[in-house]
Structure formats: C-alpha cells, structure tokens
Amino acid sequence: MGNKIHAEVLSELGSALAPERVLTAEADRWSYSYDASFGVYPPECVVQPISTEEVVALVRIACKHNIPLYPRGAGSCLSGGPLPVYGGIAVDLTHLNQTLEIFADDLVAVVSPGVKTGDIQKAAERYGLFYPPDPSSSGISTIGGNIAENSGGPRGLKYGVTRDYVLGLEVVTPEGSVLRTGGRTVKNVTGYDLTRLIIGSEGTLGIVTKAVLRLLPKPQARRTMLAVFSDLVQSGRAISKVLTSGILPCAIEIIDQACLRAVEAFRPGGLPIDAEAVLLVEVDGHPAAVEEEILQVAEICRQLGSVHVEIAKDEQTRERLWFARKQISPAIARIKPTKISEDATVPRSQIPAMFARLKQIREKYAIDLVVFGHAGDGNLHPNILCDMRNQEEMQRVEQAVSEIFQAALELGGTLSGEHGIGTMKAPFLSWEVGEVGIDMMKRIKTAWDPLSIMNPGKIFPEPGNDRLVLRQ
Amino acid sequence: MGNKIHAEVLSELGSALAPERVLTAEADRWSYSYDASFGVYPPECVVQPISTEEVVALVRIACKHNIPLYPRGAGSCLSGGPLPVYGGIAVDLTHLNQTLEIFADDLVAVVSPGVKTGDIQKAAERYGLFYPPDPSSSGISTIGGNIAENSGGPRGLKYGVTRDYVLGLEVVTPEGSVLRTGGRTVKNVTGYDLTRLIIGSEGTLGIVTKAVLRLLPKPQARRTMLAVFSDLVQSGRAISKVLTSGILPCAIEIIDQACLRAVEAFRPGGLPIDAEAVLLVEVDGHPAAVEEEILQVAEICRQLGSVHVEIAKDEQTRERLWFARKQISPAIARIKPTKISEDATVPRSQIPAMFARLKQIREKYAIDLVVFGHAGDGNLHPNILCDMRNQEEMQRVEQAVSEIFQAALELGGTLSGEHGIGTMKAPFLSWEVGEVGIDMMKRIKTAWDPLSIMNPGKIFPEPGNDRLVLRQ
C-alpha cells in the first residue's frame, strides 16, 4: 500500500468533510506518525471528522480507493494501536467531541469518542455519580481510545475495566454502514454482544462514533494506606489475605525497590528505599465501612510482616501516599533515554512467582528492569530502561521482553492486561490464543472488513515480523 | 433437514461417545423436546458427552453428515434456546459436570458446563467468596445454560450479569476445533473478546466445555426492607432517589398490585393488596454500612410517599419479605393454564412510563397481565396469563406481546434483558438491532459456522416466521 492519496481522493475528502480538516502538510503528517509506544509512521494524509456522517463518507471514500484508515484519539497508546504502519489516512477523532450528556436517573452517560475520559469523570461527579475506569492517562486520553484498547487502571480490582462500563455503541463499519450495538440498560441479551466485540478490537472492526456508558453512585468515602514489606513474597500473601477477608479494596498497588529508589532519587520524600516492596491500598464506599476496613487491612499487613504501616489521616496525606506511585513513570524515565512499559498480567496468586521470574530475567540479560503495577488484579508493569541507540543492549532487551511474555503465560496470565496488542505484541499473539484463536478472530475481521481497510497491521502477526517488539 | 440420523451416524456416535449415551428411544427424544418456553420439537437423537474430546468427536460427526446440533443444560430456558426446531441431535451437557474447583487466592472458579449455578455459589461461600449472578432458576440451571443466555437475576443492579463474571472459556467450535478464550485475569486485552462473543450467543457459535469464573469476596452483611406505595409512579421516583444518593442496593424488586393479589390468594400472609406497588430493597456489604444504608433507603421511601416501610430485623423476617417475591411465579401460574414470562427491559427512569404502557396494553387487549421484576436495573417481567387452547385469546396475546416489545424499544430499552432471543423473539430482532446489526451478526455466524450446524433456527429471524411469539 502507500501513495494512494492522489488529487481525486483529496478532492473527495475535502468535499465530504471540509478542506481545512484534510491535512497533508509534512508537519501535520509527522504529528500523527507516532503514539506513546515506538516507531514513526507518517500517514499520507490526516482527516478530522466532526460527525458520524463525515465518518461514513470517509469510510466509503477509503473503500472506493482501497486506502487504509488509522483511527486515533489522543495518541497515548502504549502498544502502537494508532500507528499508520501502511501509510494511508490517519483519522483524528478528537474533534468528534460534541456530546457529553449525563442521564442521572438512568445512571448513564452518552459521549462522543473524542471526549476526554477525565472530563467524563468530572461530569459524572457533578451528579453524585462515578465513572470508575481510570487509566493513568485519563487526563489526556479520549474515551474512544479507551474503548479501542479496553483500558484499565488501578481501580480494575474492584470496578473492572472499560469493557464493564460500556452499554452501547454507535460504530461506522469498515464498509461505511452505521451499526448500533447494545443500548442503555445493564441487562441486554438481544443477539450477539457486538458492543464487547468492538471494545478492545483496537480500531480494526470499525470507528466508534458514540458510546453509552454505565455510571455508578459515587462512593461516599475512601481511605488510603501504605504498607512497607522487607520481603516481597510476604506482600503477595498480604494481598491474598485481604481479598479472602471479605474486603474488596478499590486499589492495591505495588512498588518494587528499584522504583522506590528511582522516585526517591527524583523527588526525595523519605521513601523506604531498603524495602523490597511497598503496597498502596485504597478502600472506598460507606464512611463507616471504609473506616473499619482500612484498619483491618492495616492489621492484616502487620500480621503478615509489614515493617511499617501508614494510614492517611486526611486528603493531604492521601495525596502524599499516592505521590510516590504517580512519580514512578517520570522518575524511571530519567534513568535512560528509552522506557519500555509492559503490562503482562498474571493470576494474582502468581504475583510473587512473577516477581521471581522478573528478577531472573533482569539478571540473565543484565538490563535495567523495575516493576510496579496493579497488584490486586495481577496487572504488573515491568518497565525496561534502555537506550534505543545501543544495538547490543536492545538485542538483550528484545530477548528479555519475549521472556517476560513467556513467563506471564506460563504462570497462567496474559500478554496484555490493559495496553492492547497493537503492533508491539502482535508477533506473540499465537503464544496466548493459539492458532485456533487467531483463526476465529481473523474470520471475524475478514467477514467485517473484507478489504482490510480498518487499521491494518495491528493485533494479528504479519509475515516477516519475527517476534520483534521494537520495529523501527 | 430431519431424518438424517441413519445407522451409520448412530454407529459413529456410539463409537465416539458410548452406545449407552446415545439415545433414540421415543421417550428419550420427547424428554428433550421442550424447555420452559413454548413448542415441542423432539430431536432425532440425544447424546450425553462427558468430556471435551467427546464433544469434539460429536461435532465432527455432525459436520460430516450435516446434522444440526442442539446443546442444552437443564432446559429451564424461557426463550426456546435449546429447542431442536430442526430435529437433529440434542446435546445434553448436564453429564459434562466433573469440574468445580475454587482457586481462592485467585478469586476464580473453574467449572464444567453441566455444573449447577447454585452449586458454584455454595462452593464459593465455603471459601468466604461469592458468585454474584443469581437467575431465579439457579437451583436447577447449569452454568453452561447461564453462559449461553447471559443470565441475570435480582442482583444485576449492583453486580451485573453472567457476562461480568466469565473470565475465560474452552469452546468446541462449529467445525470441531478447541478454542480457548480469555484467561484467569480480570484484565485481558489480547485480541478480540471472544469470551463475551460466546456469552449470550445461545449455543449458535460453539459448545462451551469449560469456564473460568470470577469470584468476589463475600459481602459480610445484608439488610432487607419492603416499602408499600399507593402510587406506582412514586415508587419509581424513590428508586431514582436511592440510586443518586450514593447507595447501590444489591436488589430493588418491584411487585405490582395484580401480583400482590395473586400471591395473597395463593398463600395469604397479609400483603397490602390495595397498594399499587411494593418495593423490596436489599443492601449488602460492610455491617456498619448496610445498617445505615437501609435506614437511609427507608427514609427516602417515606419521603417519596411510601405508606408503609418494614425493615427486616433478622434472617427470618428477611425470608418472609422475600417470600412474596418468590411466590409470584407459582401464584400467577394458578390463574390460567398458560403463562408467558417476558423480560422487556427499559432504562430505569422509564419504569413508570413502562408501567403506564403495560396498563394500556392490558386494557386494549383485555388480557391478564401482571408485572414484577428487577426494577433497580429496569428489567421488568410482564407476565401474561392465558390459555393456549383458546385461539381467539391467543391472537390478542400475540398482539399484546408484540406491543410490549414495541413499548420497551420506544422507551429506549431492549427486547430481552436476561432470557435471550431463542425462537420466541427472533422475529423481532431487527426492531432492535436493525438490518445492519443482523447483517454484522450473521457475518460472524457464517464465518464461524459455515454449515449452520450449531443450534440453527435461533436468534435470527427465519423466512415465513411472521412475528409469532408462540410457534406451535
């Protein structure tokens, strides 16, 4: 593919949208050539539709001329989801952001794909309601991107992920029809669950133009604590004990020693840099319940060997406790120029085993590997710090990443908990879903998108792509 | 189709399974000819596989000879899901029930499809855990059937439905391959969400042979109350007010006057038969929280005009309060020989409007129509009591049912909240999902099941089936 955007196509796009929302200048093409993962792939042109009708017209033009479409939201994807790997048209959906309506009595929000997730959370709160999914990027990421990647976040433990809060969708199909899935009710078994087929399909099955989201009553209170462990395995046991004691925290985050040291070096604040692990636990709900539950969690942590427990007394202390967690990404990014953020996820009982495997991998390949993540739901973020320009190092990193995937799968886990497959993990897909899984997924892709117009080059392994995480 | 099961097929089935688990006697065929909906369709033969391998062999034989397969669990389906409408082979999966394992540290259960849902709930409770979906049939229905129909229940309001608790599946595809979807973690975005595509697909995309279920910590306490309203609309307002006050009950059930009278006539217990509606509200969670929340709910109900509120003081009173709700089905079944149980679902703010529409429909068609259901999530159960032998009455009933569907859709709801489409609602599918929706669903069906072996005659409208709910 490539070099398909000739004058006729541009003229059709300009008539269907508006000439000023069809961009071909080199600076524009480069602005849409990357996401938060790796690789730079400039599209041949960028379009900025503002309505479902414009998306329909766009898709029909792309079909007519057989041009690949690369939908994108804010571009904060960590797996290469929006990268225009075969050129074609980048579809910037951030301008399709007109609708953000809260229907408080129905506990429902109706949103356009370009609306920022954080803005949905704020709008819901004004009605005493709550949109639980909280990817760390929620301040900038769009709900459309969250739906494409089925984004998670710390609250996944108690509240699940984006998938659990989407009731219905309007989708422009790869052939330019308007499909409406699901509806406004939590209960709906009318035909196949196309809503959840679209969620997490990374823009390969259509373009979402509207979403109906489920909201919850906003929890009235929350309490937060931090527990320091000199032994990582004991912290894993504490997590299990909490979860089998009738308490379901909204977050249990883990921070390993390497992360603690990186944060302390970045913004000194007295973190326990000799600890093997720190757990950050938050409970939410009824004030009386959280008051008692946070004390129970503290007691369990102490019983299982925590050397220090601190319960936040007020919002200010809570923010200080979360500060360390939130500084990890910037702190570790300072260590070396390249940061590879993984999201291998294991059944939560396997967290200590996964930490042991990660330690072996770090030593075997002599790499800078730090670990933090959402321990309560088994979703770890091993991060490798390296230098893309150092080819010898990158070869070791490639092997290490591949071994991290292998370890997660051997422990009963998954390649990707919340970042998606995109380009980065596509070569490894068969390791998890098998040839039968790929076959059944591809049958859907082919049946829905016979021309392979929608985001080609993603999810499925491509010939010649020999299990390389970092395609240049 | 039909008359395809000749000696060669029987011999192949006998070798693949075991002759004693291949049944062709007339009594056996009749035993598998019905479910809890309408219509009697004896299969040509019944098989009882006990392993994945046997299911694979069975599917391959069916493909070779082009014989339809009709998977079934306990047969408690209310929409015709398991009915062998084209003869062929009924696949009794209740014998595939060997596995029921709880992995407490992972908050996961691994189960065979023939295991009863109630047994999973009991097994989880022994570990202090909780499997939330609670279809009213859970004492007899199988988890395989629940997965096929995406079953709900009263707790859907707080806890969602079966879909929200299935993490992974083993499925024998319509061509006899073994597909493994999802896994053991809540977070998983590795490729398309085939798990949820299978859930609710009513056995048309494969046969589930194993499931990994998500469990929660068991709530430590619950409190229950009953509120009597002389005005139905006020009861709807009370529901909205509760849900926007930061309280998320695990159940809000509504019972209309006709149901109250039927129950009181059946088992007199002092029910308020002059009330327009009764709400049954249950909260669960931390003891201190539920204690306070139930008082808040009671206060809201009083403020919004409830003429009488009773909070259960102990487990015995709780059971008495639930007794009325649980007696509705047997009580109304006494009224007339035929009982048609619908599950039209509307956005919860539309419950008063839906009640108004149901009242009009009752009067317009002079039918016996009573209403109860899961008001908190908008999932009502209008039940029509009639006599199948009275053709004139049944014509009115047909029209009334069709108008109930129309009303639900006009109010932004769905044809089916938790019973499925099956045979009964297939003719109406396009009303909700449109021609584009049917097309995209059929593309998946055709791509996965090119021979149309798996449960043909379900979900999709068939030529000549002219929007009749009750096919004889």
Side-chain angles (χ1 to χ4, degrees):
Chain A
M1 295 193 229
N3 300 315
K4 289 192 159 174
I5 315 276
H6 43 69
E8 186 193 339
V9 176
L10 288 176
S11 146
E12 288 180 23
L13 290 172
S15 311
L17 282 76
E20 67 274 19
R21 289 188 280 103
V22 179
L23 316 176
T24 53
E26 199 172 343
D28 291 321
R29 293 171 49 231
W30 282 94
S31 301
Y32 289 87
S33 67
Y34 58 87
D35 66 0
S37 71
F38 296 90
V40 175
Y41 303 88
E44 292 162 71
C45 128
V46 178
V47 296
Q48 299 173 323
I50 56 170
S51 69
T52 304
E53 295 66 35
E54 288 191 356
V55 174
V56 168
L58 164 69
V59 171
R60 290 186 178 165
I61 294 167
C63 283
K64 180 177 160 197
H65 299 283
N66 199 14
I67 299 168
L69 292 175
Y70 288 98
R72 68 186 281 135
S76 53
C77 187
L78 287 161
S79 59
L83 297 178
V85 292
Y86 291 121
I89 302 173
V91 186
D92 174 1
L93 291 156
T94 58
H95 298 252
L96 188 42
N97 63 356
Q98 292 79 358
T99 307
L100 168 49
E101 279 185 90
I102 307 291
F103 297 85
D105 283 348
D106 288 339
L107 275 73
V108 151
V110 177
V111 297
S112 299
V115 172
K116 283 182 197 155
T117 310
D119 290 341
I120 299 170
Q121 290 166 338
K122 281 177 218 150
E125 289 198 6
R126 286 196 285 273
Y127 292 86
L129 299 174
F130 175 45
Y131 177 70
D134 61 340
S136 300
S137 56
S138 61
I140 56 154
S141 67
T142 64
I143 187 68
N146 289 182
I147 289 169
E149 301 295 332
N150 189 18
S151 303
R155 289 199 287 246
L157 167 60
K158 178 169 180 178
Y159 291 105
V161 293
T162 302
R163 177 182 72 211
D164 302 305
Y165 294 89
V166 182
L167 297 175
L169 293 172
E170 179 185 84
V171 181
V172 176
T173 71
E175 294 173 311
S177 296
V178 178
L179 169 69
R180 289 184 184 83
T181 75
R184 279 191 177 216
T185 59
V186 171
K187 289 180 174 171
N188 182 316
V189 279
T190 298
Y192 299 159
D193 189 346
L194 302 184
T195 308
R196 280 156 201 89
L197 179 63
I198 300 290
I199 299 168
S201 67
E202 307 192 11
T204 65
L205 295 177
I207 297 178
V208 171
T209 48
K210 197 172 275 186
V212 183
L213 307 176
R214 173 186 170 216
L215 305 174
L216 296 182
K218 186 175 183 321
Q220 297 162 53
R222 63 184 172 200
R223 290 301 300 271
T224 308
M225 57 156 275
L226 185 141
V228 179
F229 288 85
S230 50
D231 179 358
L232 186 77
V233 173
Q234 283 303 103
S235 72
R237 293 203 180 118
I239 294 169
S240 290
K241 180 74 180 162
V242 168
L243 292 171
T244 49
S245 302
I247 301 168
L248 186 56
C250 60
I252 303 183
E253 298 286 302
I254 194 164
I255 307 172
D256 82 345
Q257 194 174 53
C259 287
L260 290 170
R261 292 184 174 178
V263 173
E264 193 61 20
F266 179 47
R267 302 235 187 258
L271 283 175
I273 55 172
D274 292 328
E276 271 199 12
V278 158
L279 294 184
L280 188 64
V281 183
E282 192 160 280
V283 293
D284 68 359
H286 186 278
V290 300
E291 213 53 52
E292 205 177 303
E293 284 178 351
I294 202 73
L295 295 174
Q296 284 177 282
V297 174
E299 186 52 32
I300 289 169
C301 287
R302 278 190 208 101
Q303 278 169 11
L304 284 161
S306 170
V307 292
H308 175 71
V309 170
E310 179 178 2
I311 300 176
K313 302 240 174 310
D314 48 35
E315 190 59 25
Q316 205 182 341
T317 324
R318 174 183 179 267
E319 272 169 29
R320 181 171 55 74
L321 296 187
W322 272 101
F323 182 79
R325 170 67 182 83
K326 290 189 175 161
Q327 292 306 310
I328 293 173
S329 279
I332 62 178
R334 289 171 68 243
I335 298 177
K336 285 196 173 178
T338 307
K339 171 174 164 291
I340 298 171
S341 174
E342 281 307 332
D343 69 328
T345 302
V346 294
R348 51 172 72 77
S349 67
Q350 300 300 320
I351 286 177
M354 187 65 184
F355 266 100
R357 292 290 292 268
L358 291 170
K359 193 175 168 189
Q360 286 165 10
I361 292 168
R362 173 166 46 206
E363 284 160 13
K364 181 171 170 188
Y365 296 104
I367 49 168
D368 265 330
L369 173 67
V370 304
V371 190
F372 62 96
H374 319 306
D377 58 22
N379 179 200
L380 296 179
H381 291 308
N383 272 247
I384 301 176
L385 297 325
C386 49
D387 185 343
M388 192 69 107
R389 296 161 299 187
N390 180 342
Q391 288 200 4
E392 182 277 327
E393 183 185 26
M394 293 314 285
Q395 275 183 6
R396 284 182 282 124
V397 168
E398 282 286 356
Q399 287 175 300
V401 169
S402 154
E403 214 164 304
I404 291 173
F405 295 159
Q406 214 171 347
L409 292 175
E410 280 171 19
L411 294 171
T414 177
L415 287 177
S416 178
E418 56 181 13
H419 293 171
I421 297 300
T423 54
M424 288 189 64
K425 298 183 186 178
F428 301 88
L429 185 66
S430 71
W431 285 11
E432 180 169 342
V433 306
E435 294 305 328
V436 174
I438 291 185
D439 175 31
M440 299 318 271
M441 289 179 191
K442 275 195 170 167
R443 290 185 193 206
I444 297 170
K445 170 68 177 172
T446 308
W448 277 41
D449 183 14
L451 295 173
S452 201
I453 291 285
M454 287 303 311
N455 207 5
K458 309 302 166 64
I459 299 182
F460 300 106
E462 304 248 302
N465 187 343
D466 192 21
R467 298 210 166 112
L468 279 181
V469 178
L470 310 173
R471 290 192 283 175
Q472 294 295 308
Chain B
M1 297 193 227
N3 299 315
K4 289 193 159 174
I5 315 276
H6 44 68
E8 187 194 338
V9 176
L10 289 175
S11 146
E12 287 179 23
L13 290 172
S15 309
L17 282 78
E20 68 273 20
R21 288 187 281 103
V22 179
L23 316 175
T24 53
E26 201 172 343
D28 291 321
R29 292 171 50 231
W30 282 95
S31 302
Y32 289 88
S33 67
Y34 58 89
D35 66 0
S37 70
F38 296 91
V40 175
Y41 303 89
E44 292 162 70
C45 130
V46 178
V47 296
Q48 298 172 324
I50 56 170
S51 69
T52 304
E53 294 68 36
E54 288 190 357
V55 174
V56 168
L58 164 67
V59 171
R60 291 188 177 164
I61 294 167
C63 283
K64 181 177 160 195
H65 299 284
N66 199 12
I67 300 167
L69 293 174
Y70 289 98
R72 67 186 280 136
S76 53
C77 187
L78 288 162
S79 60
L83 297 178
V85 291
Y86 291 121
I89 302 173
V91 186
D92 174 2
L93 291 157
T94 59
H95 298 253
L96 188 43
N97 62 357
Q98 293 79 357
T99 306
L100 170 47
E101 280 185 271
I102 306 291
F103 297 85
D105 283 347
D106 289 338
L107 275 72
V108 151
V110 177
V111 298
S112 299
V115 172
K116 284 181 195 155
T117 311
D119 291 341
I120 298 169
Q121 290 166 338
K122 281 178 218 149
E125 289 197 5
R126 285 196 286 274
Y127 292 86
L129 299 174
F130 175 45
Y131 177 70
D134 60 341
S136 300
S137 56
S138 62
I140 56 153
S141 67
T142 65
I143 186 69
N146 289 181
I147 290 168
E149 302 295 333
N150 188 18
S151 303
R155 288 199 288 246
L157 167 59
K158 178 169 180 177
Y159 291 105
V161 294
T162 301
R163 177 182 73 210
D164 301 305
Y165 294 89
V166 181
L167 297 176
L169 294 172
E170 179 185 83
V171 181
V172 176
T173 71
E175 293 174 311
S177 296
V178 178
L179 168 69
R180 287 181 187 85
T181 75
R184 279 191 176 215
T185 58
V186 170
K187 289 180 176 171
N188 182 318
V189 277
T190 298
Y192 298 160
D193 189 346
L194 302 184
T195 307
R196 282 160 199 88
L197 179 63
I198 300 290
I199 298 168
S201 68
E202 308 192 12
T204 65
L205 295 177
I207 296 178
V208 170
T209 49
K210 196 171 279 186
V212 183
L213 306 177
R214 173 185 169 215
L215 304 175
L216 297 182
K218 187 176 182 318
Q220 297 161 54
R222 62 184 172 201
R223 290 301 300 272
T224 309
M225 56 155 276
L226 186 140
V228 179
F229 288 85
S230 50
D231 179 358
L232 186 77
V233 173
Q234 284 301 103
S235 73
R237 293 203 180 120
I239 294 169
S240 289
K241 179 75 180 159
V242 168
L243 292 172
T244 48
S245 303
I247 302 169
L248 186 56
C250 61
I252 303 182
E253 299 285 302
I254 193 164
I255 309 172
D256 83 345
Q257 193 175 55
C259 286
L260 289 170
R261 290 183 175 178
V263 173
E264 192 63 20
F266 179 47
R267 302 236 187 260
L271 284 175
I273 54 173
D274 293 329
E276 269 199 15
V278 158
L279 293 185
L280 188 64
V281 183
E282 193 160 281
V283 292
D284 69 359
H286 186 277
V290 301
E291 212 53 51
E292 205 178 302
E293 283 178 351
I294 201 73
L295 295 174
Q296 285 177 280
V297 174
E299 186 50 34
I300 289 169
C301 288
R302 278 190 208 101
Q303 279 170 9
L304 285 161
S306 171
V307 294
H308 175 71
V309 170
E310 178 177 3
I311 299 176
K313 300 238 175 311
D314 49 33
E315 189 59 25
Q316 207 182 339
T317 324
R318 174 183 178 269
E319 272 168 28
R320 181 170 57 71
L321 296 187
W322 272 100
F323 182 78
R325 170 66 182 85
K326 290 190 175 160
Q327 292 307 309
I328 294 173
S329 279
I332 62 178
R334 290 169 70 243
I335 298 176
K336 285 197 172 177
T338 307
K339 171 175 165 291
I340 298 171
S341 174
E342 279 309 332
D343 68 329
T345 301
V346 293
R348 51 171 72 77
S349 66
Q350 300 301 320
I351 287 177
M354 187 66 184
F355 266 99
R357 291 290 292 268
L358 291 170
K359 193 176 169 189
Q360 286 165 9
I361 292 168
R362 174 166 46 207
E363 284 159 13
K364 180 170 172 189
Y365 296 105
I367 50 167
D368 265 330
L369 173 66
V370 305
V371 190
F372 61 97
H374 320 305
D377 57 23
N379 180 200
L380 295 179
H381 290 307
N383 271 246
I384 300 175
L385 297 324
C386 49
D387 185 343
M388 192 69 107
R389 296 161 299 188
N390 181 342
Q391 287 199 5
E392 183 277 326
E393 183 184 25
M394 292 314 285
Q395 274 181 8
R396 283 183 282 124
V397 168
E398 281 286 356
Q399 287 174 299
V401 169
S402 153
E403 214 164 304
I404 291 173
F405 296 158
Q406 215 171 347
L409 293 175
E410 281 171 18
L411 294 170
T414 177
L415 285 178
S416 178
E418 55 181 14
H419 293 171
I421 298 300
T423 55
M424 289 188 64
K425 298 182 184 177
F428 301 88
L429 185 65
S430 71
W431 285 9
E432 181 168 341
V433 306
E435 294 305 328
V436 175
I438 290 185
D439 174 31
M440 299 317 271
M441 290 180 191
K442 275 195 170 166
R443 290 186 193 205
I444 296 171
K445 170 69 177 171
T446 307
W448 278 42
D449 183 13
L451 295 172
S452 200
I453 291 286
M454 286 304 310
N455 207 7
K458 309 303 165 64
I459 299 182
F460 300 106
E462 303 249 304
N465 187 343
D466 193 22
R467 299 215 164 111
L468 279 180
V469 179
L470 310 172
R471 289 193 284 176
Q472 294 296 306

